[in-house]
Coordinates of all heavy atoms in Angstrom, one line a residue:
M397 N -56.9 -68.8 53.3 CA -58.2 -68.7 52.7 C -58.8 -67.3 53.0 O -58.7 -66.9 54.2 CB -59.2 -69.8 53.1 CG -58.8 -71.2 52.7 SD -59.8 -72.5 53.4 CE -61.3 -72.2 52.3
D398 N -59.4 -66.7 52.1 CA -60.0 -65.4 52.3 C -61.5 -65.6 52.7 O -62.3 -65.9 51.9 CB -59.9 -64.6 51.0 CG -60.4 -63.2 51.2 OD1 -60.6 -62.7 52.3 OD2 -60.6 -62.5 50.1
F399 N -61.8 -65.4 54.0 CA -63.1 -65.7 54.5 C -64.1 -64.7 54.0 O -65.3 -65.1 53.9 CB -63.1 -65.8 56.1 CG -62.4 -66.9 56.6 CD1 -61.1 -66.9 57.1 CD2 -62.9 -68.2 56.4 CE1 -60.4 -68.0 57.6 CE2 -62.3 -69.4 56.9 CZ -61.0 -69.2 57.4
T400 N -63.8 -63.5 53.7 CA -64.8 -62.6 53.2 C -65.3 -62.9 51.9 O -66.4 -62.8 51.5 CB -64.2 -61.0 53.2 OG1 -63.0 -61.0 52.4 CG2 -63.9 -60.6 54.6
A401 N -64.3 -63.4 51.0 CA -64.7 -63.8 49.7 C -65.5 -65.2 49.7 O -66.5 -65.3 49.0 CB -63.4 -64.1 48.8
I402 N -65.2 -66.1 50.7 CA -66.0 -67.3 50.8 C -67.4 -66.9 51.3 O -68.4 -67.5 50.8 CB -65.3 -68.2 51.8 CG1 -64.0 -68.8 51.1 CG2 -66.2 -69.3 52.3 CD1 -63.1 -69.6 52.0
L403 N -67.5 -66.0 52.3 CA -68.8 -65.6 52.8 C -69.6 -64.9 51.7 O -70.9 -65.1 51.6 CB -68.7 -64.7 54.0 CG -68.2 -65.4 55.3 CD1 -68.0 -64.4 56.4 CD2 -69.2 -66.5 55.7
G404 N -68.9 -64.1 50.8 CA -69.6 -63.5 49.7 C -70.1 -64.5 48.7 O -71.2 -64.3 48.2
V405 N -69.4 -65.5 48.4 CA -69.8 -66.6 47.5 C -71.0 -67.3 48.1 O -72.0 -67.5 47.3 CB -68.7 -67.6 47.3 CG1 -69.1 -68.9 46.6 CG2 -67.6 -67.0 46.5
I406 N -71.0 -67.6 49.4 CA -72.1 -68.3 50.0 C -73.4 -67.4 50.0 O -74.5 -67.8 49.7 CB -71.8 -68.7 51.5 CG1 -70.7 -69.9 51.4 CG2 -73.0 -69.2 52.2 CD1 -70.2 -70.2 52.8
F407 N -73.1 -66.1 50.4 CA -74.3 -65.2 50.5 C -74.9 -65.0 49.0 O -76.2 -64.9 48.9 CB -73.8 -63.8 51.0 CG -74.8 -62.9 51.2 CD1 -75.9 -63.1 52.2 CD2 -74.9 -61.7 50.4 CE1 -76.9 -62.1 52.3 CE2 -75.9 -60.8 50.6 CZ -76.9 -61.0 51.5
L408 N -74.1 -64.8 48.0 CA -74.5 -64.7 46.6 C -75.3 -65.9 46.2 O -76.4 -65.7 45.6 CB -73.3 -64.5 45.7 CG -73.7 -64.3 44.2 CD1 -74.5 -63.1 44.0 CD2 -72.4 -64.3 43.4
L409 N -74.9 -67.1 46.5 CA -75.6 -68.3 46.1 C -77.0 -68.4 46.8 O -78.0 -68.7 46.2 CB -74.8 -69.5 46.4 CG -75.4 -70.9 45.9 CD1 -75.6 -70.9 44.4 CD2 -74.5 -72.0 46.3
I410 N -76.9 -68.1 48.1 CA -78.3 -68.1 48.8 C -79.2 -67.1 48.3 O -80.4 -67.4 48.1 CB -78.0 -67.8 50.4 CG1 -77.2 -69.0 51.0 CG2 -79.3 -67.5 51.1 CD1 -76.8 -68.8 52.4
L411 N -78.8 -65.9 48.0 CA -79.7 -64.9 47.5 C -80.2 -65.2 46.1 O -81.4 -65.1 45.7 CB -79.0 -63.5 47.4 CG -78.8 -62.7 48.6 CD1 -78.1 -61.4 48.4 CD2 -80.2 -62.5 49.2
A412 N -79.3 -65.8 45.3 CA -79.7 -66.3 43.9 C -80.7 -67.5 44.0 O -81.7 -67.4 43.2 CB -78.4 -66.7 43.1
N413 N -80.4 -68.4 44.9 CA -81.4 -69.5 45.0 C -82.7 -69.1 45.5 O -83.8 -69.5 45.0 CB -80.8 -70.6 45.9 CG -79.8 -71.4 45.2 OD1 -79.7 -71.5 44.0 ND2 -79.1 -72.2 45.9
I414 N -82.8 -68.2 46.5 CA -84.0 -67.6 47.0 C -84.7 -66.9 45.9 O -85.9 -67.0 45.7 CB -83.8 -66.7 48.2 CG1 -83.3 -67.6 49.4 CG2 -85.1 -66.0 48.6 CD1 -82.9 -66.8 50.6
G415 N -84.0 -66.2 45.1 CA -84.7 -65.4 44.0 C -85.3 -66.3 43.0 O -86.4 -66.1 42.6
V416 N -84.5 -67.3 42.5 CA -85.1 -68.3 41.6 C -86.3 -69.0 42.1 O -87.2 -69.2 41.4 CB -84.0 -69.2 41.1 CG1 -84.5 -70.3 40.3 CG2 -82.9 -68.4 40.3
F417 N -86.2 -69.4 43.4 CA -87.3 -70.1 43.9 C -88.5 -69.3 44.1 O -89.7 -69.8 43.7 CB -86.9 -70.6 45.4 CG -88.0 -71.4 46.1 CD1 -88.3 -72.7 45.7 CD2 -88.7 -70.8 47.1 CE1 -89.2 -73.4 46.3 CE2 -89.7 -71.5 47.8 CZ -90.0 -72.8 47.3
F418 N -88.5 -68.0 44.4 CA -89.6 -67.2 44.5 C -90.2 -66.9 43.2 O -91.4 -66.8 43.0 CB -89.4 -65.9 45.4 CG -89.4 -66.2 46.8 CD1 -88.3 -66.0 47.6 CD2 -90.6 -66.7 47.4 CE1 -88.4 -66.1 49.0 CE2 -90.7 -66.9 48.8 CZ -89.5 -66.7 49.6
I419 N -89.3 -66.7 42.2 CA -89.8 -66.5 40.8 C -90.6 -67.7 40.3 O -91.6 -67.6 39.7 CB -88.6 -66.2 39.8 CG1 -88.1 -64.8 40.1 CG2 -89.0 -66.2 38.4 CD1 -86.8 -64.4 39.4
F420 N -90.0 -68.9 40.6 CA -90.7 -70.1 40.2 C -92.0 -70.2 40.9 O -93.0 -70.5 40.3 CB -89.8 -71.3 40.6 CG -90.5 -72.6 40.5 CD1 -90.8 -73.2 39.2 CD2 -91.0 -73.3 41.6 CE1 -91.4 -74.3 39.1 CE2 -91.6 -74.5 41.5 CZ -91.9 -75.0 40.3
R421 N -92.0 -69.9 42.2 CA -93.3 -70.2 43.0 C -94.4 -69.1 42.6 O -95.5 -69.5 42.5 CB -92.9 -70.0 44.5 CG -94.0 -70.5 45.4 CD -93.5 -70.5 46.8 NE -94.6 -71.0 47.6 CZ -94.5 -71.0 48.9 NH1 -93.5 -70.7 49.5 NH2 -95.6 -71.4 49.6
K422 N -94.0 -67.9 42.4 CA -95.0 -66.9 42.1 C -95.4 -66.7 40.7 O -96.5 -66.5 40.4 CB -94.5 -65.5 42.6 CG -94.2 -65.4 44.1 CD -95.5 -65.6 44.9 CE -95.2 -65.4 46.4 NZ -96.3 -65.7 47.2
V423 N -94.5 -67.0 39.7 CA -94.7 -66.7 38.3 C -95.0 -68.0 37.6 O -96.0 -68.1 36.8 CB -93.5 -66.0 37.7 CG1 -93.8 -65.8 36.2 CG2 -93.3 -64.6 38.4
W424 N -94.1 -69.0 37.7 CA -94.2 -70.2 36.9 C -94.9 -71.4 37.4 O -95.1 -72.4 36.7 CB -92.8 -70.6 36.4 CG -92.1 -69.7 35.6 CD1 -92.6 -68.8 34.6 CD2 -90.7 -69.3 35.7 NE1 -91.6 -68.1 34.2 CE2 -90.4 -68.4 34.8 CE3 -89.7 -69.8 36.5 CZ2 -89.2 -67.8 34.6 CZ3 -88.4 -69.3 36.3 CH2 -88.2 -68.3 35.3
M425 N -95.3 -71.4 38.6 CA -95.8 -72.6 39.3 C -97.0 -73.2 38.6 O -97.1 -74.4 38.5 CB -96.1 -72.3 40.8 CG -96.6 -73.5 41.6 SD -95.3 -74.7 41.6 CE -96.2 -76.0 42.3
N426 N -97.9 -72.4 38.2 CA -99.1 -72.9 37.6 C -99.2 -72.8 36.0 O -100.2 -72.7 35.4 CB -100.3 -72.2 38.1 CG -100.5 -72.5 39.6 OD1 -100.3 -73.6 40.0 ND2 -100.8 -71.5 40.5
T427 N -97.9 -72.7 35.4 CA -97.9 -72.6 34.0 C -97.5 -74.0 33.4 O -96.9 -74.8 34.1 CB -96.9 -71.6 33.5 OG1 -95.6 -71.9 34.0 CG2 -97.3 -70.2 34.1
P428 N -97.7 -74.2 32.2 CA -97.3 -75.4 31.5 C -95.7 -75.4 31.4 O -95.1 -74.3 31.2 CB -97.8 -75.4 30.1 CG -98.8 -74.2 30.0 CD -98.5 -73.4 31.3
N429 N -95.1 -76.5 31.6 CA -93.7 -76.6 31.5 C -92.9 -75.8 32.6 O -91.9 -75.3 32.3 CB -93.1 -76.3 30.2 CG -93.6 -77.2 29.1 OD1 -93.7 -78.4 29.3 ND2 -93.8 -76.8 27.9
A430 N -93.5 -75.8 33.8 CA -92.9 -75.0 34.8 C -91.5 -75.5 35.3 O -90.6 -74.7 35.5 CB -93.8 -75.0 36.1
G431 N -91.4 -76.9 35.2 CA -90.2 -77.4 35.5 C -89.0 -77.0 34.5 O -87.9 -76.8 35.0
M432 N -89.3 -77.0 33.3 CA -88.4 -76.7 32.3 C -87.9 -75.3 32.4 O -86.8 -74.9 32.2 CB -89.0 -77.1 30.9 CG -89.1 -78.5 30.6 SD -87.6 -79.5 30.9 CE -86.6 -79.0 29.5
K433 N -88.9 -74.4 32.6 CA -88.6 -73.0 32.9 C -87.7 -72.7 34.0 O -86.7 -72.0 34.0 CB -89.8 -72.2 33.0 CG -90.7 -72.1 31.7 CD -92.0 -71.4 32.0 CE -92.9 -71.5 30.7 NZ -94.2 -70.9 31.0
F434 N -88.0 -73.5 35.1 CA -87.1 -73.4 36.3 C -85.7 -73.9 35.9 O -84.7 -73.3 36.3 CB -87.6 -74.3 37.4 CG -86.7 -74.6 38.5 CD1 -86.4 -73.6 39.5 CD2 -86.1 -75.8 38.6 CE1 -85.4 -73.9 40.4 CE2 -85.2 -76.1 39.6 CZ -84.9 -75.1 40.5
L435 N -85.6 -75.1 35.2 CA -84.2 -75.6 34.9 C -83.4 -74.6 34.1 O -82.2 -74.4 34.3 CB -84.4 -76.9 34.1 CG -84.8 -78.1 35.0 CD1 -85.0 -79.3 34.1 CD2 -83.8 -78.4 36.0
F436 N -84.1 -73.9 33.2 CA -83.4 -73.1 32.2 C -82.9 -71.9 33.1 O -81.7 -71.5 32.9 CB -84.3 -72.5 31.1 CG -83.7 -71.5 30.2 CD1 -82.7 -71.9 29.3 CD2 -84.0 -70.2 30.3 CE1 -82.1 -70.9 28.5 CE2 -83.5 -69.2 29.4 CZ -82.5 -69.6 28.6
V437 N -83.7 -71.2 33.9 CA -83.2 -70.1 34.6 C -82.2 -70.5 35.7 O -81.3 -69.8 35.9 CB -84.4 -69.4 35.3 CG1 -84.0 -68.4 36.3 CG2 -85.3 -68.8 34.3
N438 N -82.4 -71.7 36.3 CA -81.5 -72.2 37.3 C -80.1 -72.4 36.7 O -79.1 -72.1 37.4 CB -82.0 -73.4 38.0 CG -81.2 -73.7 39.3 OD1 -81.0 -72.8 40.1 ND2 -80.8 -75.0 39.4
I439 N -80.0 -73.0 35.5 CA -78.7 -73.2 34.9 C -78.0 -71.9 34.6 O -76.8 -71.7 34.8 CB -78.9 -74.1 33.6 CG1 -79.2 -75.5 34.0 CG2 -77.7 -74.1 32.7 CD1 -79.6 -76.4 32.8
L440 N -78.7 -70.9 34.0 CA -78.1 -69.5 33.9 C -77.7 -68.9 35.1 O -76.6 -68.4 35.2 CB -79.2 -68.7 33.2 CG -79.6 -69.0 31.8 CD1 -80.6 -68.0 31.3 CD2 -78.4 -69.1 30.8
K441 N -78.5 -69.1 36.2 CA -78.0 -68.6 37.5 C -76.8 -69.3 38.0 O -75.8 -68.6 38.5 CB -79.1 -68.8 38.6 CG -78.9 -68.3 39.9 CD -78.6 -69.3 41.0 CE -79.4 -70.6 40.9 NZ -78.7 -71.6 41.9
D442 N -76.7 -70.6 37.9 CA -75.5 -71.3 38.3 C -74.2 -71.0 37.5 O -73.2 -70.8 38.0 CB -75.8 -72.9 38.1 CG -76.7 -73.4 39.1 OD1 -76.9 -72.7 40.2 OD2 -77.3 -74.4 38.9
I443 N -74.4 -70.7 36.2 CA -73.2 -70.3 35.4 C -72.8 -68.9 35.8 O -71.6 -68.7 35.9 CB -73.6 -70.3 33.9 CG1 -73.8 -71.8 33.4 CG2 -72.6 -69.6 33.1 CD1 -74.4 -71.9 32.1
A444 N -73.7 -68.0 36.0 CA -73.4 -66.7 36.5 C -72.7 -66.7 37.8 O -71.7 -66.1 38.1 CB -74.6 -65.7 36.6
W445 N -73.2 -67.5 38.7 CA -72.7 -67.6 40.1 C -71.3 -68.2 40.1 O -70.3 -67.7 40.7 CB -73.5 -68.5 41.0 CG -72.9 -68.8 42.3 CD1 -72.9 -68.1 43.4 CD2 -72.3 -70.1 42.6 NE1 -72.2 -68.7 44.4 CE2 -71.8 -69.9 43.9 CE3 -72.0 -71.3 42.0 CZ2 -71.1 -70.9 44.6 CZ3 -71.3 -72.2 42.6 CH2 -70.9 -72.0 44.0
L446 N -71.0 -69.2 39.2 CA -69.7 -69.8 39.1 C -68.7 -68.8 38.5 O -67.5 -68.7 39.0 CB -69.8 -71.0 38.2 CG -68.5 -71.8 38.0 CD1 -68.0 -72.3 39.3 CD2 -68.7 -72.9 37.0
I447 N -69.1 -68.1 37.5 CA -68.2 -67.0 36.9 C -67.8 -66.0 38.0 O -66.6 -65.7 38.1 CB -68.8 -66.4 35.7 CG1 -68.9 -67.4 34.5 CG2 -68.0 -65.2 35.2 CD1 -69.6 -67.1 33.3
I448 N -68.7 -65.5 38.7 CA -68.5 -64.5 39.8 C -67.7 -65.1 40.9 O -66.7 -64.5 41.3 CB -69.8 -63.9 40.3 CG1 -70.5 -63.1 39.2 CG2 -69.6 -63.0 41.5 CD1 -71.9 -62.7 39.6
S449 N -68.0 -66.3 41.3 CA -67.2 -66.9 42.3 C -65.7 -67.1 41.9 O -64.8 -67.0 42.8 CB -67.8 -68.3 42.7 OG -69.2 -68.1 43.2
L450 N -65.6 -67.6 40.6 CA -64.1 -67.8 40.2 C -63.3 -66.5 40.1 O -62.1 -66.5 40.3 CB -64.2 -68.6 38.9 CG -64.6 -70.0 38.9 CD1 -64.7 -70.5 37.5 CD2 -63.6 -70.8 39.7
Q451 N -64.0 -65.4 39.9 CA -63.4 -64.1 40.0 C -63.0 -63.7 41.4 O -61.9 -63.1 41.6 CB -64.2 -63.1 39.3 CG -64.5 -63.2 37.9 CD -63.2 -63.2 37.0 OE1 -62.4 -62.4 37.3 NE2 -63.2 -64.1 36.1
W452 N -63.8 -64.0 42.4 CA -63.5 -63.6 43.7 C -62.5 -64.5 44.4 O -61.7 -64.0 45.3 CB -64.8 -63.7 44.5 CG -65.8 -62.5 44.3 CD1 -65.5 -61.4 43.5 CD2 -67.1 -62.5 44.8 NE1 -66.6 -60.7 43.6 CE2 -67.7 -61.3 44.2 CE3 -67.9 -63.3 45.6 CZ2 -68.9 -60.8 44.5 CZ3 -69.2 -62.8 45.8 CH2 -69.7 -61.6 45.3
L453 N -62.5 -65.7 44.2 CA -61.7 -66.7 45.0 C -60.4 -66.9 44.2 O -60.3 -66.9 42.9 CB -62.3 -68.0 45.1 CG -63.7 -67.9 46.0 CD1 -64.3 -69.4 46.1 CD2 -63.3 -67.5 47.4
E454 N -59.3 -67.3 44.9 CA -58.1 -67.8 44.3 C -58.2 -69.1 43.7 O -59.1 -69.9 44.1 CB -57.0 -67.8 45.4 CG -56.7 -66.5 46.1 CD -55.7 -66.7 47.1 OE1 -55.1 -67.7 47.3 OE2 -55.6 -65.7 48.0
K455 N -57.4 -69.4 42.7 CA -57.5 -70.7 42.0 C -56.7 -71.8 42.9 O -55.6 -72.1 42.4 CB -57.0 -70.6 40.6 CG -57.5 -69.4 39.7 CD -59.0 -69.2 39.8 CE -59.5 -68.3 38.8 NZ -59.5 -66.9 39.2
T456 N -57.3 -72.2 43.9 CA -56.6 -73.3 44.7 C -57.5 -74.5 44.8 O -58.7 -74.5 44.5 CB -56.3 -72.8 46.1 OG1 -57.5 -72.5 46.8 CG2 -55.4 -71.6 46.1
T457 N -56.9 -75.6 45.1 CA -57.7 -76.8 45.3 C -58.7 -76.7 46.4 O -59.9 -77.2 46.3 CB -56.8 -78.0 45.6 OG1 -55.8 -78.1 44.6 CG2 -57.5 -79.3 45.7
Q458 N -58.4 -76.0 47.5 CA -59.3 -75.9 48.6 C -60.6 -75.0 48.2 O -61.7 -75.4 48.5 CB -58.6 -75.2 49.7 CG -57.6 -76.0 50.5 CD -57.0 -75.2 51.6 OE1 -56.8 -74.0 51.4 NE2 -56.6 -75.9 52.6
H459 N -60.3 -74.0 47.4 CA -61.4 -73.2 46.9 C -62.3 -74.0 45.9 O -63.5 -73.8 45.9 CB -60.9 -71.9 46.4 CG -60.4 -70.9 47.4 ND1 -59.4 -70.1 47.1 CD2 -60.8 -70.8 48.7 CE1 -59.1 -69.3 48.2 NE2 -59.9 -69.8 49.1
F460 N -61.6 -74.8 45.1 CA -62.3 -75.5 44.2 C -63.2 -76.5 44.8 O -64.5 -76.7 44.4 CB -61.4 -76.3 43.2 CG -62.1 -77.2 42.1 CD1 -62.9 -76.6 41.1 CD2 -62.0 -78.5 42.2 CE1 -63.4 -77.4 40.2 CE2 -62.6 -79.4 41.3 CZ -63.3 -78.8 40.3
L461 N -62.7 -77.3 45.8 CA -63.6 -78.2 46.5 C -64.6 -77.5 47.3 O -65.7 -78.0 47.5 CB -62.7 -79.0 47.4 CG -61.7 -80.0 46.8 CD1 -60.8 -80.6 47.8 CD2 -62.4 -81.0 45.9
F462 N -64.4 -76.3 47.8 CA -65.4 -75.5 48.5 C -66.5 -75.2 47.6 O -67.7 -75.3 48.0 CB -64.8 -74.3 49.1 CG -65.8 -73.3 49.6 CD1 -66.5 -73.5 50.7 CD2 -66.0 -72.2 48.8 CE1 -67.5 -72.5 51.1 CE2 -67.0 -71.3 49.2 CZ -67.7 -71.4 50.4
L463 N -66.2 -74.7 46.4 CA -67.2 -74.4 45.4 C -68.1 -75.6 45.0 O -69.3 -75.5 44.9 CB -66.6 -73.8 44.1 CG -66.1 -72.4 44.2 CD1 -65.4 -72.0 42.9 CD2 -67.2 -71.4 44.5
I464 N -67.4 -76.7 44.8 CA -68.3 -77.9 44.5 C -69.2 -78.3 45.6 O -70.3 -78.6 45.4 CB -67.3 -79.2 44.2 CG1 -66.5 -78.9 42.8 CG2 -68.0 -80.4 44.2 CD1 -65.5 -79.9 42.5
F465 N -68.7 -78.3 46.9 CA -69.5 -78.6 48.0 C -70.6 -77.7 48.2 O -71.7 -78.1 48.4 CB -68.6 -78.7 49.3 CG -69.5 -79.0 50.5 CD1 -69.9 -80.3 50.8 CD2 -69.7 -78.0 51.4 CE1 -70.7 -80.6 51.9 CE2 -70.5 -78.2 52.5 CZ -70.9 -79.5 52.8
T466 N -70.3 -76.4 48.1 CA -71.4 -75.4 48.2 C -72.4 -75.5 47.1 O -73.6 -75.4 47.4 CB -70.7 -74.0 48.2 OG1 -69.7 -73.9 49.2 CG2 -71.7 -72.9 48.5
F467 N -72.0 -75.7 45.9 CA -72.9 -75.8 44.8 C -73.8 -77.1 44.9 O -75.0 -77.0 44.7 CB -72.2 -76.0 43.5 CG -73.0 -76.3 42.3 CD1 -73.9 -75.3 41.7 CD2 -73.0 -77.5 41.7 CE1 -74.6 -75.6 40.7 CE2 -73.8 -77.8 40.6 CZ -74.6 -76.8 40.1
L468 N -73.2 -78.2 45.3 CA -74.0 -79.4 45.4 C -75.0 -79.3 46.6 O -76.2 -79.7 46.4 CB -73.1 -80.6 45.6 CG -72.3 -81.0 44.3 CD1 -71.3 -82.2 44.7 CD2 -73.2 -81.4 43.3
T469 N -74.6 -78.7 47.7 CA -75.5 -78.6 48.8 C -76.7 -77.7 48.5 O -77.8 -78.0 48.7 CB -74.8 -78.1 50.0 OG1 -73.7 -79.0 50.2 CG2 -75.6 -78.0 51.2
A470 N -76.4 -76.5 47.9 CA -77.4 -75.5 47.6 C -78.3 -76.1 46.5 O -79.5 -75.9 46.6 CB -76.8 -74.2 47.2
S471 N -77.8 -76.7 45.5 CA -78.6 -77.3 44.5 C -79.5 -78.4 45.0 O -80.7 -78.5 44.6 CB -77.7 -77.9 43.4 OG -77.0 -76.8 42.7
F472 N -79.0 -79.2 45.9 CA -79.9 -80.3 46.4 C -81.1 -79.7 47.1 O -82.2 -80.2 46.9 CB -79.0 -81.2 47.3 CG -79.9 -82.2 48.0 CD1 -80.3 -83.4 47.3 CD2 -80.3 -82.1 49.3 CE1 -81.1 -84.4 47.9 CE2 -81.1 -83.1 50.0 CZ -81.5 -84.2 49.2
I473 N -80.8 -78.8 48.0 CA -81.9 -78.2 48.7 C -82.9 -77.5 47.8 O -84.1 -77.6 48.0 CB -81.3 -77.1 49.7 CG1 -80.5 -77.8 50.8 CG2 -82.4 -76.3 50.4 CD1 -79.6 -76.9 51.6
L474 N -82.4 -76.7 46.9 CA -83.3 -76.1 45.9 C -84.2 -76.9 45.1 O -85.4 -76.9 45.0 CB -82.5 -75.1 45.0 CG -83.3 -74.3 44.0 CD1 -84.2 -73.3 44.7 CD2 -82.5 -73.5 43.0
Y475 N -83.5 -78.0 44.5 CA -84.2 -79.0 43.7 C -85.2 -79.8 44.5 O -86.3 -80.1 44.0 CB -83.3 -79.9 43.0 CG -82.7 -79.3 41.7 CD1 -81.5 -78.8 41.7 CD2 -83.4 -79.3 40.6 CE1 -80.9 -78.2 40.6 CE2 -82.9 -78.8 39.4 CZ -81.6 -78.2 39.5 OH -81.1 -77.6 38.3
Y476 N -84.9 -80.0 45.8 CA -85.8 -80.8 46.7 C -87.1 -80.0 46.8 O -88.2 -80.5 46.7 CB -85.1 -81.0 48.0 CG -86.0 -81.7 49.0 CD1 -86.2 -83.1 48.9 CD2 -86.6 -81.0 50.0 CE1 -87.1 -83.7 49.8 CE2 -87.4 -81.6 51.0 CZ -87.6 -83.0 50.8 OH -88.4 -83.6 51.8
K477 N -86.9 -78.6 47.1 CA -88.1 -77.8 47.4 C -89.0 -77.7 46.0 O -90.2 -77.8 46.1 CB -87.7 -76.4 47.8 CG -87.0 -76.3 49.1 CD -88.0 -76.5 50.2 CE -87.5 -76.2 51.5 NZ -88.5 -76.3 52.6
V478 N -88.3 -77.5 45.0 CA -89.0 -77.4 43.7 C -89.8 -78.6 43.3 O -90.9 -78.6 42.9 CB -88.1 -76.8 42.6 CG1 -88.7 -76.9 41.2 CG2 -87.7 -75.4 42.9
I479 N -89.1 -79.8 43.4 CA -89.8 -81.0 43.1 C -90.9 -81.3 44.0 O -92.0 -81.8 43.5 CB -88.7 -82.2 43.1 CG1 -87.8 -82.0 41.9 CG2 -89.4 -83.5 43.0 CD1 -86.5 -82.9 41.9
R480 N -90.8 -81.0 45.2 CA -92.0 -81.2 46.1 C -93.2 -80.3 45.7 O -94.3 -80.7 45.7 CB -91.6 -80.9 47.6 CG -90.7 -82.0 48.2 CD -90.6 -81.9 49.6 NE -92.0 -81.9 50.1 CZ -92.2 -82.1 51.4 NH1 -91.2 -82.4 52.3 NH2 -93.4 -82.0 51.8
L481 N -92.9 -79.1 45.3 CA -94.0 -78.2 44.9 C -94.6 -78.7 43.6 O -95.8 -78.7 43.4 CB -93.4 -76.8 44.7 CG -93.2 -75.9 45.9 CD1 -92.6 -74.6 45.5 CD2 -94.5 -75.8 46.7
L482 N -93.8 -79.2 42.7 CA -94.3 -79.7 41.4 C -95.1 -81.0 41.6 O -96.1 -81.2 41.0 CB -93.2 -80.0 40.4 CG -92.5 -78.8 39.8 CD1 -91.4 -79.2 39.0 CD2 -93.6 -78.0 38.9
N483 N -94.7 -81.8 42.6 CA -95.5 -83.1 42.9 C -96.8 -82.7 43.6 O -97.7 -83.6 43.4 CB -94.7 -84.0 43.7 CG -93.6 -84.7 42.9 OD1 -93.8 -84.8 41.6 ND2 -92.5 -85.2 43.5
E484 N -96.9 -81.7 44.3 CA -98.1 -81.3 45.1 C -99.2 -80.8 44.1 O -100.3 -80.7 44.3 CB -97.8 -80.3 46.2 CG -97.1 -80.9 47.3 CD -96.6 -79.8 48.3 OE1 -97.0 -78.6 48.1 OE2 -96.0 -80.2 49.3
R485 N -98.7 -80.2 43.0 CA -99.6 -79.5 42.0 C -100.5 -80.5 41.4 O -100.4 -81.6 41.1 CB -98.7 -78.8 41.0 CG -99.5 -78.0 40.0 CD -98.6 -77.1 39.3 NE -97.6 -77.8 38.5 CZ -97.4 -77.7 37.2 NH1 -98.1 -76.8 36.5 NH2 -96.5 -78.4 36.6

């Protein structure tokens, strides 16, 4: 396993999630349909992240399972934060 590529994938996902979260919080939080805007941008971010990650990593079962685990963990955390903010509004 190439640990630099794996760390790059994790770092890219963390930066992308932080960017989407702050855009949501600062720009869309108090607008109508804030959740839908977040979902749209988040899906585009996830597709871009997946394409870049597949270019960096070898096509093995270990890397595939790693991508799935990383994606699910990061998505759960991001959605948890956004849903809490939407419910407080």
Side-chain angles (χ1 to χ4, degrees):
M397 292 178 74
D398 186 13
F399 289 108
T400 57
I402 288 174
L403 289 176
V405 166
I406 292 171
F407 185 69
L408 179 66
L409 184 60
I410 289 170
L411 282 178
N413 279 347
I414 289 172
V416 168
F417 180 73
F418 280 119
I419 290 172
F420 169 76
R421 193 168 178 190
K422 298 294 182 187
V423 179
W424 295 323
M425 184 61 189
N426 295 320
T427 62
N429 294 326
M432 294 302 290
K433 292 174 186 176
F434 165 76
L435 286 175
F436 178 73
V437 171
N438 194 45
I439 289 173
L440 292 179
K441 183 255 322 166
D442 289 337
I443 291 170
W445 173 79
L446 183 62
I447 291 171
I448 293 169
S449 298
L450 289 174
Q451 296 297 320
W452 284 352
L453 296 175
E454 298 174 14
K455 309 317 186 269
T456 64
T457 305
Q458 289 177 331
H459 289 148
F460 177 71
L461 292 174
F462 167 75
L463 284 177
I464 290 173
F465 176 75
T466 307
F467 172 75
L468 290 176
T469 304
S471 294
F472 176 77
I473 293 168
L474 181 64
Y475 279 97
Y476 178 76
K477 294 283 191 182
V478 168
I479 289 171
R480 285 195 55 166
L481 284 175
L482 286 173
N483 285 337
E484 289 174 1
R485 182 170 60 129

